[in-house]
């Protein structure tokens, strides 16, 4: 009696069971990549590499610090660096040097576009991050966590070595 209810010939439910088993077998056999996919790490943009990161404190206490670093992007999709945050700072902005009225001046930078192969130096006399209202914990010999804001709402975090005003930029 039980075998007749499970028979694919006599029972439509049995036929469906056989078909489902066959489909599952094919999917398992043709599954392709069986290795688990790496989960994206929060605060890290794949292909965005930061090197030579350092924060130079101001010579006068209470003045803003400057963050310099080199960035290289080798991701597949273009992106833009649209801002920055520094842990332990009241605020931070991406700045750039520009000529105004025949003089060089510093101003908040436009978003920095990056496509595969782009390299940008955030350096003295060019693009850099200004950190305002620093906490007392940010001192030479420590590190400060810097977060780049990426267009679309993503972020990329890295540590910058904190240096005294007179140290190498």
């Amino acid at each position: 009696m039980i075998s007749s209810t499970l028979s694919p010939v006599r029972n439509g439910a049995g036929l469906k069971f056989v078909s489902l088993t066959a489909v599952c077998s094919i999917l398992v056999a043709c599954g392709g990549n069986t290795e688990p996919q790496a989960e994206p790490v929060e605060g890290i943009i794949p292909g965005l590499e930061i090197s030579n990161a350092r924060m130079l404190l101001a010579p006068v206490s209470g003045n803003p610090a400057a963050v310099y670093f080199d960035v290289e992007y080798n991701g597949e999709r273009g992106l833009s660096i649209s801002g920055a945050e520094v842990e332990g700072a009241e605020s931070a902005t991406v700045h750039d040097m520009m000529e105004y009225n025949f003089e060089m001046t510093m101003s908040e930078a436009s978003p920095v576009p990056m496509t595969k192969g782009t390299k940008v130096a955030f350096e003295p006399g060019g693009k850099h991050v200004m950190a305002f209202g620093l906490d007392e914990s940010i001192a030479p010999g420590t590190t400060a966590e810097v977060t780049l804001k990426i267009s679309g709402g993503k972020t990329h975090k890295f540590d910058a070595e904190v240096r005294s005003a007179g140290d190498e930029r």
Side-chain angles (χ1 to χ4, degrees):
M1 177 108 172
I2 294 175
S3 62
S4 65
T5 35
L6 297 177
S7 169
V9 175
R10 295 185 185 170
N11 188 331
L15 182 57
K16 289 179 185 174
F17 174 77
V18 170
S19 298
L20 182 58
T21 303
V23 170
C24 288
S25 297
I26 292 169
L27 289 174
V28 169
C30 299
N33 186 3
T34 57
E35 294 181 24
Q37 297 293 319
E39 290 293 319
V41 177
E42 185 177 334
I44 300 295
I45 303 292
L48 192 64
E49 299 293 327
I50 307 294
S51 60
N52 197 24
R54 64 239 185 251
M55 173 188 277
L56 197 66
L57 298 175
V60 176
S61 180
N63 283 357
V67 180
Y68 306 117
F69 54 94
D70 298 318
V71 59
E72 182 174 355
Y73 183 61
N74 285 303
E76 295 302 318
R77 299 182 66 173
L79 56 82
S80 293
I81 298 171
S82 59
E85 294 176 350
V86 175
E87 187 175 44
E90 291 175 7
S91 65
T93 56
V94 178
H95 280 164
D96 200 356
M97 297 299 292
M98 59 183 52
E99 186 178 327
Y100 176 75
N101 202 23
F102 303 106
E103 292 183 14
M104 292 304 291
T105 185
M106 184 175 41
S107 179
E108 192 167 342
S110 299
V112 180
M114 304 201 67
T115 57
K116 189 172 190 165
T118 302
K119 296 178 184 180
V120 179
F122 282 67
E123 60 190 357
K127 290 176 181 40
H128 57 281
V129 173
M130 295 296 296
F132 302 89
L134 298 180
D135 186 85
E136 292 176 7
S137 66
I138 298 178
T142 64
T143 58
E145 184 181 77
V146 179
T147 302
L148 295 179
K149 296 178 184 179
I150 306 300
S151 53
K154 294 185 178 183
T155 60
H156 188 85
K157 297 180 181 197
F158 62 94
D159 288 332
E161 173 192 349
V162 179
R163 298 180 181 173
S164 296
D167 290 347
E168 182 183 343
R169 296 175 139 207

